[in-house]
């Protein structure tokens, strides 16, 4: 009688274990791939609580916002640390060339670069982040007061030289690099992330199939080709794959082509070429690339201190795919 009771108890315990395994498998099936990632290590007591990033839609510790101006001349490539930015901006500069700006908060690479100069319209663009830190190599003397008086933590190479270094394997001026954490120590009160208008979620109905989209300036081109295998848009600059120093091709799950007014500013470069002023306050057309489709949208930003909303023709918000977002400014 006792032996029978023991065997029954063992069968009951075994059945409970099987049911638990089945329940676990049921919860996992159909969940997004990132939901089944290994459990994170226990958080440090002094670490900030993880939360969803308003810049990427992913969960991560959110540090102070740091914007870095990147060189994008042919001699500046490949880029270091750009693949780890939350947001990448593509901007037109003098002579129809382009510069990039990476915005960081979720993680800070050990080094980023090459770093180049800032522009007047960067102040307007960055106001939506509150008071972030801005890293850049320098500016024309006429623009120094504008940046110094702006509501940003302007941290050029000359002000925080210890945060920058020269890379020996590159020729000047494409050899200036930045240590993000060292620079942020000089701006301890830089704001943390806030809502800048991005919305993340499943792809909506509609859109048109798209294999590649290209934005051209007078002296630069930027192409984004959909890769079904990688599930993201792969970037190319001037017809060549845009790569990180680790060798991987740059790109993102969401590319936003935002049509804006780029009028002449009151500044010129050393060669006398007029610097474009990119107007990011206002409204206009945009195309959102995600999941192999192009979605016609409208953008609106009412004030420099506010974010930008992207809406579909029916007035509903246009959701982005979670992950890094590229914002590419194009002429109207």
């Amino acid at each position: 009688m006792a032996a029978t009771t023991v065997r029954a108890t063992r069968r009951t315990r075994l059945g409970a274990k099987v049911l638990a395994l089945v329940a676990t498998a049921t919860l996992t099936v159909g969940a997004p791939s990132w939901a089944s990632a290994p459990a994170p290590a226990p958080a440090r007591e002094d670490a900030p609580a993880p939360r969803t990033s308003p810049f990427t839609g992913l969960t991560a510790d959110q540090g102070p916002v740091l914007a870095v101006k990147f060189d994008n001349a042919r001699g500046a490539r490949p880029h270091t640390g750009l693949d780890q930015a939350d947001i990448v901006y593509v901007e037109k500069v003098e002579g129809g060339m382009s510069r990039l700006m990476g915005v960081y908060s979720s993680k800070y690479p050990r080094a980023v670069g090459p770093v180049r100069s800032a522009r007047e319209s960067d102040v307007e663009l960055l106001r939506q982040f509150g008071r972030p830190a801005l890293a850049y190599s320098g500016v024309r003397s006429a623009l120094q007061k504008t940046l110094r008086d702006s509501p940003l933590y302007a941290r050029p190479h000359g002000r925080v030289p210890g945060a920058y270094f020269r890379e020996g394997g590159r020729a000047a001026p494409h050899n200036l690099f930045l240590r993000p954490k060292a620079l942020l120590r000089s701006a301890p009160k830089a704001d943390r992330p806030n809502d800048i208008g991005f919305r993340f979620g499943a792809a909506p109905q509609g859109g048109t199939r798209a294999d590649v989209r290209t934005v051209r300036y007078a002296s630069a081109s930027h192409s984004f080709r959909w890769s079904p295998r990688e599930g993201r848009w792969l970037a190319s600059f001037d017809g060549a794959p845009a790569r990180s120093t680790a060798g991987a091709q740059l790109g993102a799950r969401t590319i936003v082509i935002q049509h804006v007014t780029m009028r002449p500013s009151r500044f010129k470069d050393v060669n006398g070429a007029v610097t474009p002023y990119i107007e990011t306050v206002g409204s206009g057309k945009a195309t959102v690339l995600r999941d192999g489709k192009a979605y016609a949208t409208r953008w609106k930003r009412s004030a420099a201190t506010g974010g930008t909303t992207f809406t579909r023709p029916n007035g509903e918000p246009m959701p982005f795919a979670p992950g890094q977002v590229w914002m590419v400014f194009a002429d109207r």
Side-chain angles (χ1 to χ4, degrees), residues 11 41 61 111 140 176 208 220 255 264 281 294 301 307 312 328 332:
R11 284 197 298 270
D61 292 342
R140 297 282 293 160
L176 183 65
T208 58
I255 310 294
V281 173
R301 186 182 179 200
R312 303 178 62 209
V328 185
R332 288 186 186 275

Side-chain angles (χ1 to χ4, degrees), residues 207-218:
T208 58
R209 285 291 173 188
D211 294 324
V212 63
R213 285 288 189 274
T214 299
V215 174
R216 290 184 173 86
Y217 303 154

Side-chain angles (χ1 to χ4, degrees), residues 33-313:
S33 59
W34 47 264
S36 59
R44 305 186 313 273
E45 291 185 1
D46 60 341
R51 68 181 183 91
T52 302
S53 166
F55 303 161
T56 67
L58 300 176
T59 300
D61 292 342
Q62 300 301 302
V65 179
L66 168 65
V68 181
K69 293 303 299 282
F70 280 80
D71 193 348
N72 197 31
R74 284 179 171 84
R77 303 166 191 162
H79 297 94
T80 298
L82 189 64
D83 56 332
Q84 297 184 58
D86 292 334
I87 308 171
V88 176
Y89 287 96
V90 180
E91 306 173 325
K92 183 169 73 172
V93 293
E94 304 82 9
M97 301 293 289
S98 68
R99 291 279 171 83
L100 310 172
M101 180 161 62
V103 175
Y104 299 83
S105 176
S106 300
K107 50 189 172 184
Y108 308 108
R110 183 188 64 81
V112 300
V115 180
R116 286 302 293 272
S117 55
R119 295 295 184 271
E120 181 187 13
S121 54
D122 291 333
V123 176
E124 178 181 294
L125 174 62
L126 292 173
R127 288 291 307 280
Q128 64 188 312
F129 297 101
R131 194 178 183 191
L134 172 61
Y136 57 101
S137 62
V139 293
R140 297 282 293 160
S141 57
L143 184 55
Q144 288 179 1
K145 186 177 186 302
T146 299
L147 282 168
R148 186 171 59 248
D149 295 344
S150 73
L152 308 174
Y153 285 102
R155 296 294 186 265
H157 171 230
R159 182 169 180 180
V160 196
Y164 295 84
F165 66 96
R166 296 284 179 180
E167 172 60 56
R170 297 186 186 231
H174 314 301
N175 62 347
L176 183 65
F177 285 73
L178 171 75
R179 298 181 182 91
K181 291 184 178 180
L183 184 134
L184 284 171
R185 285 196 289 269
S186 74
K189 295 184 179 180
D191 283 347
R192 293 177 184 269
N194 55 52
D195 183 0
I196 60 169
F198 291 2
R199 297 295 179 264
F200 297 88
Q205 296 295 318
T208 58
R209 285 291 173 188
D211 294 324
V212 63
R213 285 288 189 274
T214 299
V215 174
R216 290 184 173 86
Y217 303 154
S219 304
S221 68
H222 318 82
S223 296
F224 304 92
R225 184 177 298 278
W226 174 247
S227 171
R229 183 176 64 84
E230 296 193 25
R232 64 191 185 109
W233 299 87
L234 302 179
S236 294
F237 297 143
D238 303 320
R243 298 194 181 279
S244 69
T245 48
Q249 189 165 355
L250 301 176
R253 295 182 64 196
T254 303
I255 310 294
V256 181
I257 301 173
Q258 184 176 344
H259 294 273
V260 298
T261 297
M262 293 193 261
R263 59 173 172 81
S265 74
R266 55 199 175 98
F267 298 100
K268 299 180 181 180
D269 69 6
V270 293
N271 298 314
V274 176
T275 301
Y277 188 100
I278 302 173
E279 295 185 1
T280 55
V281 173
S283 61
K285 296 180 180 180
T287 300
V288 175
L289 306 177
R290 63 163 297 176
D291 300 284
K293 289 186 175 182
Y295 293 86
T297 64
R298 297 282 303 179
W299 68 271
K300 183 176 181 180
R301 186 182 179 200
S302 300
T305 53
T308 306
T309 59
F310 295 89
T311 54
R312 303 178 62 209

